[in-house]
Amino acid sequence: MCVCWMGGVRCQILQIHQTLILSLLDVKEKLCVLQLHYLTAHLASTAVMNSSTAVENIYLLVIVTLISVLQNAFFAQKVERECKNENNHTSSFERVSCANRNCMDAYPTFLAVMWCAGVCLSQAPAAFAGIIYLLVRQKYFIGYLGHTSQSTPGYMFGKRIIGFLFLMCILGIFNFLLCRYYGSDYKEYTETITNAASALLLLP
């Protein structure tokens, strides 16, 4: 009788033990699921923050690029309008076509140095120089329609702006190498200098 009673107790204990193990496994599974959901939400929020930070660092450059695309469309429309005229082999068409070709030849170089300067150093002075370049480019194009000598100031001014952007690229890369290999970061100083120097682009 005692043996049967002890056996029944052992069976109950084993059942309780199995129930506790299953409960613990269920709790662990739920905890794992909750942890997985938390990690997924954390990664998603981190990705959103990183993307917003990336856009914040380049949005001025994007605006200038879009404005330059609209300017290219304006130049192409001018060429198309002159081409549709009856006397499309006149000197007016030749000037418009040549001005558009010259502007488009320098366009990839302008985009490359502006983006490199904005990413490597600072987007504000790079975007400001880009806006000035587009204004000078417009002046060059309009001046070329009148007489080729009228476009010379715009051409020289455009070269100065591209040179400034190229110098910004060199400073940004040089500062990155100093920071990476020597631990010296002079980005704040170079940004201050370039912000002040960008205002000098307004001088004729």
Side-chain angles (χ1 to χ4, degrees):
M1 184 73 178
C2 183
V3 173
C4 292
W5 181 79
M6 291 294 294
V9 170
R10 287 180 180 179
C11 289
Q12 291 180 355
I13 292 175
L14 288 174
Q15 290 178 355
I16 295 172
H17 183 66
Q18 290 177 353
T19 304
L20 288 175
I21 290 176
L22 291 175
S23 300
L24 288 175
L25 290 175
D26 188 35
V27 170
K28 286 183 178 180
E29 184 179 357
K30 290 181 179 179
L31 288 175
C32 291
V33 172
L34 290 175
Q35 188 176 10
L36 181 61
H37 285 308
Y38 173 76
L39 289 176
T40 304
H42 179 69
L43 289 175
S45 62
T46 303
V48 171
M49 290 178 61
N50 290 336
S51 62
S52 62
T53 303
V55 172
E56 184 180 357
N57 291 331
I58 63 171
Y59 76 97
L60 292 177
L61 304 176
V62 172
I63 292 173
V64 176
T65 303
L66 293 178
I67 294 174
S68 69
V69 171
L70 294 177
Q71 191 180 52
N72 289 339
F74 170 76
F75 293 163
Q77 186 180 13
K78 281 285 188 181
V79 175
E80 183 180 0
R81 186 178 302 172
E82 290 292 334
C83 185
K84 287 181 179 179
N85 291 335
E86 294 181 359
N87 299 324
N88 56 356
H89 294 291
T90 60
S91 59
S92 177
F93 173 75
E94 293 295 334
R95 287 197 298 269
V96 171
S97 179
C98 186
N100 180 65
R101 185 168 58 252
N102 292 341
C103 290
M104 295 308 297
D105 286 344
Y107 184 66
T109 303
F110 158 69
L111 279 185
V113 293
M114 184 189 70
W115 275 91
C116 289
V119 173
C120 294
L121 192 57
S122 178
Q123 69 162 338
F128 178 75
I131 289 292
I132 298 299
Y133 180 83
L134 294 182
L135 293 175
V136 170
R137 191 172 176 236
Q138 186 75 20
K139 181 179 179 181
Y140 170 82
F141 186 85
I142 300 300
Y144 212 100
L145 299 184
H147 195 272
T148 55
S149 61
Q150 298 178 9
S151 63
T152 303
Y155 174 75
M156 299 303 295
F157 207 172
K159 287 180 63 177
R160 183 201 302 181
I161 296 173
I162 289 180
F164 171 75
L165 291 172
F166 181 76
L167 181 62
M168 282 186 63
C169 297
I170 297 299
L171 289 176
I173 295 173
F174 185 69
N175 180 74
F176 172 77
L177 294 176
L178 284 178
C179 182
R180 183 177 179 86
Y181 295 104
Y182 298 99
S184 301
D185 190 3
Y186 299 100
K187 188 174 183 179
E188 293 184 1
Y189 300 103
T190 52
E191 286 182 354
T192 303
I193 294 172
T194 51
N195 287 334
S198 62
L200 300 177
L201 295 174
L202 297 174
L203 297 177

